[in-house]
Amino acid sequence: MNKILVTGGAGFIGSHTCVELLNSGYDVVIMDNLCNSKEAAIGRIEKITGKKVKFYKADICDFDSCCKIFEENEIDSVIHFAGLKAVGESVRIPVEYYSNNITGTLELIKAMKKYGCKKIVFSSSATVYGMNNKAPYTEDMPTSATNPYGYTKVMIEQILRDICVSDDSFSAVALRYFNPIGAHSSGLIGEDPNGIPNNLVPYIAQVAIGKLECLSVYGDDYDTPDGTGVRDYIHVCDLARGHVDAVKYASEHTGFEAVNLGTGKGSSVLEVADAYGKACGKPIARKIAPRRAGDIATSFADASKAARLFNWQAKADINQMCADSWNFTKNNPDGIK
């Protein structure tokens, strides 16, 4: 029995992970309340893989809905993506973020415990490294955060640690992503945010397609090669493979592990804009704007633990990531319909 419950499975990373799971022979059950995703993505997952997916439109904060899914399906493991995820919004509405992300995770885990499911892969984030650690980040560094969204990730990691201490047959892997971009090579699924994007590449994509006028580059006076912020961008399909590897690892080991998923090298904002310009065949208009509060100069992973535990490493470079992102945007100018 290899049935995986994917919470938030209609979202950007969730949908790509469902494709990888299905292509690797797993059965997939998706739970998503569609607050920041579209049901049409599920049809596209099925089109890419040629396999059916069971879908529940439900909220992880609803214990009865969680139980219904476990009651109706023999779930072997959970991959937990569902959660509110915008840093700026979390500062404006912290109560909603703590309530949704933490309470939702607790309700999900209570349902898992009730039905004897003891394996979870959690969508964590490099944001747990806070402001005081120096790149490259290693998993043994102290965690902290600079905003409510980040603190929900720190807290959920701690909850999972504590569960593993209380029950030595429980397995939890927290995957700390760096900056996922790109899209599936089919052009059928990709990053499709509601409203004006918060993240760099979806914003560049909107400039490339003519929906936004130009890219604001927040700060060009950082201590980096070209003065703009450096981040570790990872192709979403490489990230999705990491989740399949983490599920396999969790099925063979118990206890808690935090694992970085990144390329191990950084690209600056200007390098990403140039790579995207190359992909779409025209330069990306840009203007320099003041630094944003809380932004750091450089962030990239030490990804050696993922190589050691999962035999995983990122394959795609920044040019491939931007080419796949543009392919999705070009084919879906108004997003997934």
Side-chain angles (χ1 to χ4, degrees):
M1 174 192 60
N2 276 310
K3 192 171 276 193
I4 314 291
L5 171 62
V6 183
T7 73
F12 174 44
I13 305 168
S15 60
H16 288 80
T17 299
C18 288
V19 167
E20 287 292 330
L21 287 165
L22 290 161
N23 286 341
S24 300
Y26 291 94
D27 287 334
V28 170
V29 177
I30 292 176
M31 177 185 196
D32 201 307
N33 68 1
L34 305 177
C35 81
N36 197 29
S37 57
K38 297 183 180 127
E39 191 169 349
I42 292 158
R44 294 187 174 205
I45 292 166
E46 293 176 334
K47 188 173 179 185
I48 291 167
T49 61
K51 296 178 180 175
K52 293 298 287 178
V53 170
K54 202 165 183 183
F55 171 58
Y56 291 82
K57 186 183 176 191
D59 197 304
I60 54 166
C61 294
D62 182 349
F63 178 68
D64 291 341
S65 292
C66 293
C67 288
K68 180 176 192 283
I69 294 170
F70 283 95
E71 187 74 42
E72 294 178 0
N73 302 276
E74 277 192 72
I75 302 294
D76 182 60
S77 309
V78 174
I79 302 181
H80 178 31
F81 294 105
L84 299 174
K85 60 173 189 175
V87 168
E89 184 181 64
S90 80
V91 175
R92 289 198 307 279
I93 52 167
V95 173
E96 286 79 353
Y97 268 69
Y98 288 120
S99 175
N100 183 84
N101 293 8
I102 295 171
T103 306
T105 301
L106 291 170
E107 295 305 313
L108 173 67
I109 289 168
K110 283 195 285 188
M112 287 174 66
K113 289 183 83 97
K114 181 177 176 182
Y115 290 90
C117 178
K118 295 191 173 189
K119 297 189 278 287
I120 186 168
V121 174
F122 171 57
S123 156
S124 192
S125 165
T127 194
V128 303
Y129 291 113
M131 296 284 284
N132 301 318
N133 293 307
K134 288 276 182 282
Y137 298 132
T138 55
E139 291 87 350
D140 55 1
M141 287 176 168
T143 58
S144 65
T146 57
N147 54 71
Y149 162 75
Y151 272 115
T152 67
K153 298 294 189 188
V154 171
M155 290 178 190
I156 293 167
E157 283 197 11
Q158 188 59 49
I159 289 165
L160 294 174
R161 263 191 203 90
D162 293 341
I163 291 166
C164 290
V165 169
S166 72
D167 179 353
D168 62 10
S169 63
F170 202 92
S171 176
V173 180
L175 296 177
R176 295 175 177 171
Y177 318 155
F178 280 70
N179 296 68
I181 62 172
H184 192 267
S185 58
S186 65
L188 287 169
I189 53 174
E191 194 162 8
D192 183 21
N194 294 334
I196 292 176
N198 292 302
N199 295 336
L200 176 64
V201 169
Y203 200 100
I204 291 175
Q206 300 268 296
V207 175
I209 208 140
K211 290 194 169 184
L212 293 170
E213 195 178 328
C214 77
L215 170 69
S216 292
V217 178
Y218 296 106
D220 64 348
D221 56 352
Y222 286 104
D223 183 16
T224 61
D226 63 18
T228 64
V230 168
R231 298 290 180 270
D232 188 339
Y233 296 94
I234 175 173
H235 198 298
V236 66
C237 293
D238 281 337
L239 194 62
R241 277 192 304 105
H243 288 76
V244 178
D245 293 339
V247 163
K248 185 171 184 297
Y249 181 87
S251 71
E252 296 166 354
H253 301 80
T254 56
F256 176 85
E257 291 287 354
V259 182
N260 290 337
L261 292 183
T263 63
K265 53 183 184 288
S267 301
S268 74
V269 174
L270 296 183
E271 284 172 333
V272 176
D274 289 345
Y276 209 101
K278 196 162 77 176
C280 71
K282 60 180 182 221
I284 302 298
R286 64 196 75 163
K287 66 174 187 213
I288 305 302
R291 291 185 182 193
R292 288 183 302 196
D295 273 358
I296 54 176
T298 302
S299 165
F300 61 94
D302 177 327
S304 58
K305 186 173 180 181
R308 191 171 73 251
L309 295 191
F310 305 159
N311 196 28
W312 174 94
Q313 64 183 53
K315 293 175 182 173
D317 65 12
I318 196 71
N319 292 316
Q320 183 68 53
M321 296 180 217
C322 289
D324 287 342
S325 169
W326 172 242
N327 183 45
F328 171 75
T329 300
K330 186 178 65 181
N331 288 313
N332 304 273
D334 297 314
I336 293 172
K337 295 281 187 240

